[in-house]
Amino acid sequence: AQSVAQPEDQVNVAEGNPLTVKCTYSVSGNPYLFWYVQYPNRGLQFLLKYITGDNLVKGSYGFEAEFNKSQTSFHLKKPSALVSDSALYFCAVRDLGSYIPTFGRGTSLIVHP
Amino acid sequence: DAGVIQSPRHEVTEMGQEVTLRCKPISGHDYLFWYRQTMMRGLELLIYFNNNVPIDDSGMPEDRFSAKMPNASFSTLKIQPSEPRDSAVYFCASSPTGEEGELFFGEGSRLTVL
């Protein structure tokens, strides 16, 4: 079985400060991990994914995520937050052999000017 | 590519009416997913198709919900009869073959049942 947890419903950060949105996962095999962003009244948009290889994955809009196998985590990060980054962020996991991704509950990121 | 196209974007209807939501996936994508999003329950998978064949419909709430994919470029989600608790945003997403592929979501259909 596969599962994903986003422990924070909301993250608040000041513009220009670094941001982290947390995600932990559970799978039986090797995970495929994804981050998506949802702006108000829009569909989810793909940000980045980890399949294999380098643990630090770079994605769209300056976001990156670090895969940590020992901590079963895949936290989303950005060195300097923008007000326009304010949105709902979803972490998702797919186990090897599964075509259905499991999504987290989402974390609302609010970047204050 | 225009991406995943959903219609209508907004639908307001009265309890008991039939609702049909439509989706055009990205050409060449083998997988199509229907999700429902609400504040209370988050993002729920309703059903998914592979090569136009329904694979898993265990997320469909009840018999009032049905989904079809008559060809590779079109899918429908139908609710008959609709109830106020069906009010939600319904998303269609498509994905290329393989577990590595990310999902491409449409803009969603916001359904309000009065």
Side-chain angles (χ1 to χ4, degrees):
Chain A
Q2 59 190 36
S3 65
V4 62
Q6 294 182 242
E8 302 153 318
D9 289 336
Q10 185 171 302
V11 170
N12 291 277
V13 64
E15 187 173 32
N17 283 0
L19 70 87
T20 299
V21 182
K22 296 179 180 178
C23 172
T24 58
Y25 67 89
S26 175
V27 295
S28 55
N30 291 323
Y32 300 117
L33 293 155
F34 306 80
W35 275 103
Y36 294 82
V37 60
Q38 184 180 28
Y39 298 103
N41 300 312
R42 303 293 300 276
L44 280 70
Q45 297 176 34
F46 168 74
L47 273 180
L48 52 79
K49 65 182 176 183
Y50 171 83
I51 303 300
T52 186
D54 194 347
N55 289 344
L56 186 64
V57 179
K58 295 187 183 296
S60 307
Y61 312 121
F63 283 93
E64 57 189 28
E66 186 168 11
F67 170 64
N68 188 317
K69 188 172 183 177
S70 63
Q71 297 186 4
T72 61
S73 67
F74 189 57
H75 300 333
L76 182 69
K77 300 182 179 185
K78 187 173 182 181
S80 178
L82 299 172
V83 172
S84 57
D85 292 330
S86 298
L88 191 57
Y89 290 81
F90 290 91
C91 182
V93 65
R94 264 174 164 163
D95 203 347
L96 183 67
S98 170
Y99 292 96
I100 307 175
T102 297
F103 284 84
R105 293 274 303 175
T107 298
S108 177
L109 173 67
I110 300 174
V111 181
H112 302 277
Chain B
D1 196 324
V4 176
I5 299 173
Q6 290 187 247
S7 65
R9 289 295 313 276
H10 302 274
E11 174 91 5
V12 180
T13 190
E14 293 189 348
M15 184 173 65
Q17 296 299 305
E18 178 179 294
V19 173
T20 299
L21 308 178
R22 299 172 177 80
C23 175
K24 176 180 168 55
I26 293 174
S27 177
H29 282 189
D30 293 335
Y31 289 85
L32 185 139
F33 302 80
W34 281 101
Y35 284 89
R36 177 170 69 176
Q37 186 179 36
T38 60
M39 290 289 290
M40 290 295 293
R41 301 170 74 95
L43 201 60
E44 302 175 273
L45 177 66
L46 300 177
I47 186 172
Y48 84 97
F49 296 82
N50 177 215
N51 292 323
N52 314 338
V53 177
I55 303 300
D56 186 345
D57 65 355
S58 59
M60 297 285 261
E62 47 199 272
D63 292 345
R64 297 184 297 107
F65 285 69
S66 63
K68 295 182 178 180
M69 192 165 186
N71 56 61
S73 60
F74 184 64
S75 177
T76 60
L77 178 67
K78 188 174 292 187
I79 308 172
Q80 166 63 19
S82 58
E83 296 182 3
R85 60 190 167 129
D86 302 330
S87 297
V89 181
Y90 291 82
F91 288 103
C92 175
S94 68
S95 177
T97 299
E99 310 101 318
E100 302 177 7
E102 61 270 25
L103 269 60
F104 295 78
F105 283 79
E107 296 287 58
S109 294
R110 181 176 294 276
L111 173 64
T112 302
V113 183
L114 303 175

